[in-house]
Amino acid sequence: QGRPELCRCCAPWRTFALAMADVAERFLASVESIGALRKVPAGRLADAEVDAFNDLRSCLIVARKDVSALDGHAVDDMCYVLDFIVRKAQKKASVGRARECLGIVLCSDSWLYVAQSNTDLLSSLKELLADNPDILLKLDATVRADVLIRPAKIAPRILPEVDVASKSALERQLWSGKQIMASFGFQFPSDVLGDKFDHATDGFQRFVVGLTQATSSSKVALERAAIDVLASFSPQEWEGIMNFLWTMYKSGVRDSLHSRIRFVVEILHKLNPIFRVVAEQTRWGPLTCEVTAH
């Protein structure tokens, strides 16, 4: 049986649900980017903070329509983001935009609860927003702790249709590629003549195939499937994957593989905010240059 069509009265709701799911995804990526600022080298931190703040603000402006798109984040991450906004408000150039961000995010009960639960953060917010009686009332109001268990609006996602076989194949390529890299301790083997070299190269090639499929397809759902898989990788795994790519690049592999390595770095830089921070560190030599040259 085919999937029933939505009636006309439901169509606007579905369009709105899709839009807010996209906002929730973008906001999740923004929260992750701000958290990843902890690892950014001091010389690059100022520019990275500006980019992260601008992205955060653009997400929040859209989320005004439904602040439940902001739900479903870890308390530590929420505290860090709130503190990040407060620090931006202490700079003359961004104080107005930072106050605007706080006005939106504190409309969410879950974020309001987290703000109230941290004494130092609450004091800073009250001082910063002393001329806004509406927000001060919210900061003093009682919010129940169960607001923190609200799920993020990211799931379930409503995606364009794509055949299950293509999506599953893409996910398998990326997952198995990462597992093979991990089996080598995320270090490309130095012996270019042994079986280990072939197996490690196979892990890398699986990444190439998966990313090529995701970015060359006309189906947006395939790229989103790739983003979903990549979002499940931990920061430690991203550090390891970049190290694998770098040690492979230095290992004396042929030039054709050099270009594929750069391709993988550039696509991952586009698709995943945590990898973006890792890849922009200067210790990756020519790979860093390829990523940061815009």
Side-chain angles (χ1 to χ4, degrees):
Q1 295 181 349
R3 189 170 60 181
E5 294 184 3
L6 289 171
C7 65
R8 290 187 178 181
C9 64
C10 294
W13 176 88
R14 184 178 185 277
T15 300
F16 179 76
L18 275 168
M20 297 320 295
D22 286 342
V23 172
E25 275 193 58
R26 283 184 57 203
F27 187 68
L28 172 61
S30 180
V31 170
E32 291 175 343
S33 294
I34 291 171
L37 291 172
R38 298 178 179 95
K39 296 185 177 181
V40 175
R44 301 177 56 83
L45 185 58
D47 289 341
E49 285 187 343
V50 170
D51 291 341
F53 178 67
N54 288 338
D55 186 52
L56 173 69
R57 180 172 174 265
S58 67
C59 291
L60 291 175
I61 288 173
V62 180
R64 273 187 175 134
K65 298 176 182 177
D66 183 4
V67 293
S68 63
L70 310 180
D71 290 338
H73 298 275
V75 171
D76 288 346
D77 293 339
M78 296 164 80
C79 282
Y80 192 80
V81 170
L82 287 169
D83 182 67
F84 173 73
I85 300 174
V86 169
R87 286 187 281 113
K88 296 301 290 185
Q90 294 168 351
K91 298 181 179 180
K92 187 176 181 180
S94 54
V95 59
R97 289 173 294 150
R99 284 164 58 93
E100 177 188 31
C101 290
L102 290 171
I104 298 169
V105 78
L106 292 176
C107 287
S108 163
D109 286 346
S110 60
W111 286 79
L112 184 59
Y113 178 83
V114 169
Q116 292 175 342
S117 303
N118 186 307
T119 304
D120 293 336
L121 181 57
L122 181 61
S123 176
S124 297
L125 289 168
K126 285 186 174 182
E127 181 180 351
L128 179 62
L129 302 167
D131 60 347
N132 191 323
D134 292 337
I135 295 184
L136 289 179
L137 285 173
K138 286 182 180 181
L139 290 170
D140 287 330
T142 301
V143 182
R144 292 173 48 173
D146 59 6
V147 298
L148 292 177
I149 64 174
R150 292 177 183 170
K153 279 210 167 185
I154 298 169
R157 293 178 180 136
I158 308 171
L159 296 174
E161 289 189 7
V162 59
D163 64 285
V164 175
S166 296
K167 182 173 181 290
S168 298
L170 181 148
E171 292 172 342
R172 282 198 304 272
Q173 294 285 5
L174 296 175
W175 266 107
S176 60
K178 183 200 72 171
Q179 292 299 99
I180 291 174
M181 294 181 191
S183 72
F184 288 95
F186 293 110
Q187 185 88 14
F188 193 78
S190 57
D191 180 8
V192 297
L193 299 177
D195 292 340
K196 290 183 178 180
F197 175 87
D198 293 336
H199 188 44
T201 303
D202 176 56
F204 167 74
Q205 294 285 26
R206 294 184 189 206
F207 248 67
V208 173
V209 171
L211 293 176
T212 301
Q213 182 183 7
T215 55
S216 62
S217 172
S218 60
K219 295 179 179 179
V220 176
L222 283 181
E223 182 170 322
R224 288 199 179 180
I227 291 172
D228 289 347
V229 175
L230 300 175
S232 68
F233 295 178
S234 70
Q236 292 77 17
E237 288 173 326
W238 281 125
E239 186 90 18
I241 289 169
M242 187 64 199
N243 188 70
F244 182 94
L245 296 172
W246 175 227
T247 53
M248 183 179 185
Y249 190 90
K250 295 190 299 178
S251 68
V253 295
R254 57 187 182 274
D255 289 345
S256 61
L257 281 178
H258 277 187
S259 63
R260 293 183 188 180
I261 293 169
R262 288 193 292 266
F263 164 80
V264 168
V265 171
E266 290 166 4
I267 297 301
L268 292 177
H269 179 266
K270 172 189 172 186
L271 296 181
N272 187 272
I274 298 177
F275 181 84
R276 190 176 307 134
V277 173
V278 173
E280 291 181 352
Q281 297 174 16
T282 56
R283 57 195 171 108
W284 310 118
L287 290 186
T288 301
C289 296
E290 291 290 336
V291 171
T292 55
H294 296 295

